[in-house]
Amino acid sequence: MDLPVALELYTLRNELKDDFLGTLEKVAEIGYKGVEFAGYGGFSASELKKYLDRLGLVPTGSHVGIDLLKDRLDEVIEYSIEIGNKYIVCPWNKYETKDDFISTAKLLNDIGKKCKENGLVLCYHNHNHEFQLFDGKYGLDLLYENTDPDLVKAEIDTYWVEYAGVNPVDYIKKYSGRLPLVHLKDMEEGTRDFAEIGKGTMNIKEIIEASQKAGAEWFIVEQDVCKRPPIESVKISFENIKKM
């Protein structure tokens, strides 16, 4: 596999609370090349940058809530630049109507413009609720259609696409050239619970192939809920991806 593999640190949120730097070290020891942040453990950008460099971990993105993106974007951009993070990701937003998607798209365009002016890239990360239909069109498609492809990119979470009843391979192909980041997850048969990659029902090999052809730069492993100790789960996922 040509593309490097990173870990979404939300998976290890409880471990990070107990020992942020020690947990990053374990992630590096497993073999992950990068990490996607969901908070910085209270460390300054300069402190975190030094530690990432020491471990050889690349910041592959940072999930930042939409309120912070609206109200404190300058700080968000400054921190990302200092740690060497290229991708700022809006991880979630609430929608009820078609107009909610269109108004969010306008907001994301404004945020993405400022990110681009500072050499960064804004992405939007989906869940399943964005696949609500409006006049036969998914809300997520409305969001992407009403944003400038140069200002707002996709971080497609393949689990939530599958969960919504949509084929993730087809959806990846649909946004070819616009998705630098792809979340790899797996789904237990029957329960549809989160599973380690390679232990579920999703066609990971086809997802990987489609992502590579679509121009993705990073695969990012995430497991929202783990039935094993999370550090064990992320190791299993990494090893299974290597086997593929």
Side-chain angles (χ1 to χ4, degrees):
M1 184 171 63
D2 297 332
L3 296 185
V5 181
L7 178 69
E8 166 53 65
L9 291 174
Y10 179 76
T11 311
L12 301 178
R13 55 198 176 277
N14 294 323
E15 290 75 9
L16 289 162
K17 285 179 185 176
D18 294 335
D19 184 1
F20 195 91
L21 298 180
T23 301
L24 288 182
E25 187 172 355
K26 290 177 182 177
V27 171
E29 287 171 354
I30 290 170
Y32 285 96
K33 299 301 182 187
V35 286
E36 183 175 52
F37 288 96
Y40 302 114
F43 290 91
S44 70
S46 59
E47 290 173 324
L48 188 55
K49 171 68 169 152
K50 288 176 185 176
Y51 204 71
L52 292 171
D53 288 347
R54 193 183 313 160
L55 295 175
L57 287 173
V58 177
T60 61
S62 182
H63 279 201
V64 182
I66 196 160
D67 288 338
L68 279 176
L69 293 176
K70 285 191 295 186
D71 301 333
R72 297 169 61 185
L73 183 57
D74 288 340
E75 294 174 39
V76 171
I77 288 173
E78 183 180 352
Y79 196 104
S80 277
I81 290 172
E82 191 162 353
I83 65 170
N85 171 49
K86 178 180 177 181
Y87 294 106
I88 294 173
V89 183
C90 178
W92 188 86
N93 195 27
K94 181 180 179 181
Y95 306 95
E96 293 180 1
T97 67
K98 179 179 179 179
D99 286 343
D100 289 340
F101 283 95
I102 293 172
S103 62
T104 298
K106 292 177 181 176
L107 173 63
L108 293 177
N109 270 333
D110 292 339
I111 296 168
K113 184 174 185 292
K114 191 156 190 177
C115 288
K116 186 176 181 180
E117 288 170 353
N118 286 273
L120 305 180
V121 178
L122 178 69
C123 297
Y124 183 84
H125 166 274
N126 66 277
H127 289 80
N128 65 306
H129 69 293
E130 292 97 340
F131 288 90
Q132 183 179 355
L133 285 169
F134 298 93
D135 302 320
K137 187 171 289 188
Y138 295 126
L140 189 58
D141 289 325
L142 286 171
L143 189 77
Y144 287 134
E145 286 175 11
N146 286 278
T147 49
D148 185 335
D150 289 332
L151 302 179
V152 182
K153 306 294 184 182
E155 179 180 63
I156 291 180
D157 187 307
T158 55
Y159 171 94
W160 289 118
V161 177
E162 179 92 8
Y163 193 95
V166 179
N167 186 317
V169 171
D170 291 342
Y171 210 72
I172 286 166
K173 291 176 180 177
K174 185 173 186 176
Y175 288 99
S176 179
R178 195 178 175 178
L179 67 159
L181 309 175
V182 175
H183 269 206
L184 290 182
K185 300 181 179 178
D186 217 334
M187 182 185 294
E188 282 189 5
E189 186 173 4
T191 66
R192 298 206 298 173
D193 289 345
F194 300 100
E196 291 80 11
I197 290 170
K199 291 188 170 290
T201 60
M202 293 184 63
N203 195 331
I204 303 296
K205 287 185 179 179
E206 282 194 16
I207 288 170
I208 287 173
E209 289 172 4
S211 299
Q212 288 175 311
K213 290 177 181 176
E217 296 177 16
W218 282 92
F219 290 118
I220 301 174
V221 171
E222 182 181 25
Q223 189 170 339
D224 302 41
V225 179
C226 304
K227 296 181 179 179
R228 295 177 172 85
I231 198 72
E232 182 182 338
S233 289
V234 300
K235 184 174 183 180
I236 290 169
S237 289
F238 183 81
E239 294 297 331
N240 285 343
I241 290 171
K242 280 206 306 184
K243 291 174 187 175
M244 294 177 189

